[in-house]
Amino acid sequence: MPAALHSLGFPSSTMALVLGRICSSYRTTLWRSLLGCQEALDRFSCSSVLVKGSSIHTSSLMFAGHNKWSKVKHIKGPKDAERSRLFARLSMMIKVAVREGGPNPDMNTPLYNLIEQCRQRNMPKASIETAIKGAEKSKATSYALYQARGPGGASLLIELHTDNTNRTFADLKGILIKNGGTTTDGARHCYSRKGVVTVQPYDKDGTPVSMEQALEFAIQAGAEDVQESQDEEDKDVYKFICEVPSLRDVRSELLNLGMVPISSSPEYLPIITVQVSDSDKEQLFHLLELINNQPEVLRVYDNIE
């Protein structure tokens, strides 16, 4: 290019000007191309960031699969595991209720309450029927109430069904000793056995029910008290407290009043509570998780405030 311009008789200054403009134009074109690539990357990054329900990532190198796997691992996985444990325990309780009172729920109140609880927990109908039919063929188990002391002086009651009490008690004792707990005979006096009907915080039409309304319903249904609480999924619920023999009547009356029952069963409610430090509470929650993971355990009660 310089040789061609010189052969045409252009002076050196003109040649420099032409070359400068050509280079400037090339640099501008190259710069715009780079900006276009950057804008495309930015749009790609934003499109992956602003997906509804996803977390905001500050780097375009974050892959969508990472967030999806995180949700599966930390949300869906534990919930599915807890759901499976719940269905297994309900099946075990159904089998025990059938062996003790027969397969007819109209003549067997504990079985009736369990079936209603299964339905509210969306347990498949086929699983309920299988548990009822398989009661006679299943291995015989016995009910036991295990008393323990947890970190910080918390009193624990552990309900379980087992075909080998000695083995189960030995397993629980090992878990307690390794995690700051111990066995005791003095935990039962911290609790009172009551009937508990757990219901949704809204009526059958989906209208929220206030605490004042719930108290009125408790009086009409013959319950002693009503408490605000949370279920296994941290959802708000109401718990209507009554004497164990009137459990079915209270549930039926609440149903007539338009409430939506989730479960109804006898429970141990603490009448003496304790305060524990944050460090003891963390250790206690870990201990409770380990106990709950035992297949023979039905329910664990604690009396921490």
Side-chain angles (χ1 to χ4, degrees):
M1 177 68 74
L5 292 174
H6 183 71
S7 65
L8 292 174
F10 287 99
S12 299
S13 59
T14 302
M15 291 169 56
L17 179 61
V18 171
L19 287 173
R21 289 182 177 178
I22 291 174
C23 292
S24 176
S25 176
Y26 176 77
R27 286 195 299 268
T28 300
T29 302
L30 179 60
W31 178 246
R32 287 176 177 172
S33 298
L34 291 173
L35 286 178
C37 293
Q38 182 62 44
E39 290 173 356
L41 287 174
D42 289 343
R43 287 195 298 269
F44 175 79
S45 176
C46 289
S47 65
S48 63
V49 167
L50 298 179
V51 175
K52 183 177 180 182
S54 66
S55 301
I56 296 179
H57 303 302
T58 57
S59 171
S60 60
L61 297 178
M62 295 293 290
F63 298 100
H66 172 81
N67 190 42
K68 181 179 180 181
W69 167 245
S70 177
K71 287 184 178 180
V72 171
K73 180 180 179 182
H74 298 293
I75 298 176
K76 186 176 184 301
K79 285 187 176 181
D80 286 349
E82 179 63 30
R83 186 181 182 88
S84 297
R85 284 196 296 268
L86 175 62
F87 287 173
R89 289 171 181 172
L90 288 172
S91 295
M92 181 170 58
M93 295 169 70
I94 286 175
K95 292 175 182 178
V96 173
V98 170
R99 285 200 299 266
E100 294 179 351
N104 186 352
D106 293 331
M107 304 296 293
N108 187 342
T109 300
L111 177 60
Y112 174 86
N113 291 332
L114 282 170
I115 292 176
E116 290 301 315
Q117 186 174 347
C118 291
R119 290 171 177 169
Q120 291 296 330
R121 300 293 184 182
N122 295 319
M123 184 173 176
K125 182 179 179 181
S127 299
I128 299 174
E129 294 175 348
T130 299
I132 294 175
K133 293 178 181 178
E136 295 182 358
K137 299 179 181 179
S138 64
K139 186 180 295 186
T141 60
S142 58
Y143 172 85
L145 184 66
Y146 192 84
Q147 303 181 66
R149 190 82 66 191
S155 296
L156 308 178
L157 288 184
I158 306 170
E159 284 188 311
L160 49 90
H161 274 289
T162 176
D163 60 342
N164 189 326
T165 304
N166 292 332
R167 182 202 65 217
T168 302
F169 281 9
D171 291 343
L172 289 174
K173 184 177 181 179
I175 293 174
L176 288 164
I177 293 175
K178 293 179 181 179
N179 295 275
T182 184
T183 59
T184 182
D185 293 328
R188 176 65 179 84
H189 77 277
C190 296
Y191 294 85
S192 176
R193 191 168 186 264
K194 294 288 186 178
V196 178
V197 183
T198 304
V199 304
Q200 300 284 9
Y202 46 79
D203 62 20
K204 60 183 179 181
D205 297 322
T207 304
V209 176
S210 66
M211 187 61 181
E212 289 75 15
Q213 289 177 299
L215 288 169
E216 293 179 4
F217 289 162
I219 296 174
Q220 296 179 50
E224 299 176 356
D225 193 13
V226 59
Q227 300 175 356
E228 293 177 307
S229 185
Q230 291 183 323
D231 62 9
E232 295 86 353
E233 299 180 350
D234 295 329
K235 295 180 180 179
D236 293 334
V237 295
Y238 285 130
K239 289 193 171 186
F240 288 82
I241 315 301
C242 63
E243 294 296 332
V244 175
S246 60
L247 183 60
R248 185 170 182 175
D249 293 337
V250 171
R251 182 192 179 281
S252 297
E253 188 59 33
L254 288 172
L255 192 61
N256 293 334
L257 292 169
M259 299 301 291
V260 183
I262 299 174
S263 65
S264 57
S265 63
E267 295 184 16
Y268 288 95
L269 303 182
I271 55 178
I272 300 175
T273 59
V274 296
Q275 291 183 338
V276 298
S277 64
D278 290 340
S279 59
D280 286 336
K281 189 177 295 184
E282 183 177 354
Q283 188 178 15
L284 176 61
F285 288 164
H286 177 65
L287 172 61
L288 294 176
E289 183 179 6
L290 293 175
I291 295 174
N292 268 309
N293 287 337
Q294 298 302 301
E296 297 90 353
V297 173
L298 299 176
R299 189 177 299 170
V300 185
Y301 303 92
D302 68 78
N303 68 333
I304 63 171
E305 292 185 359

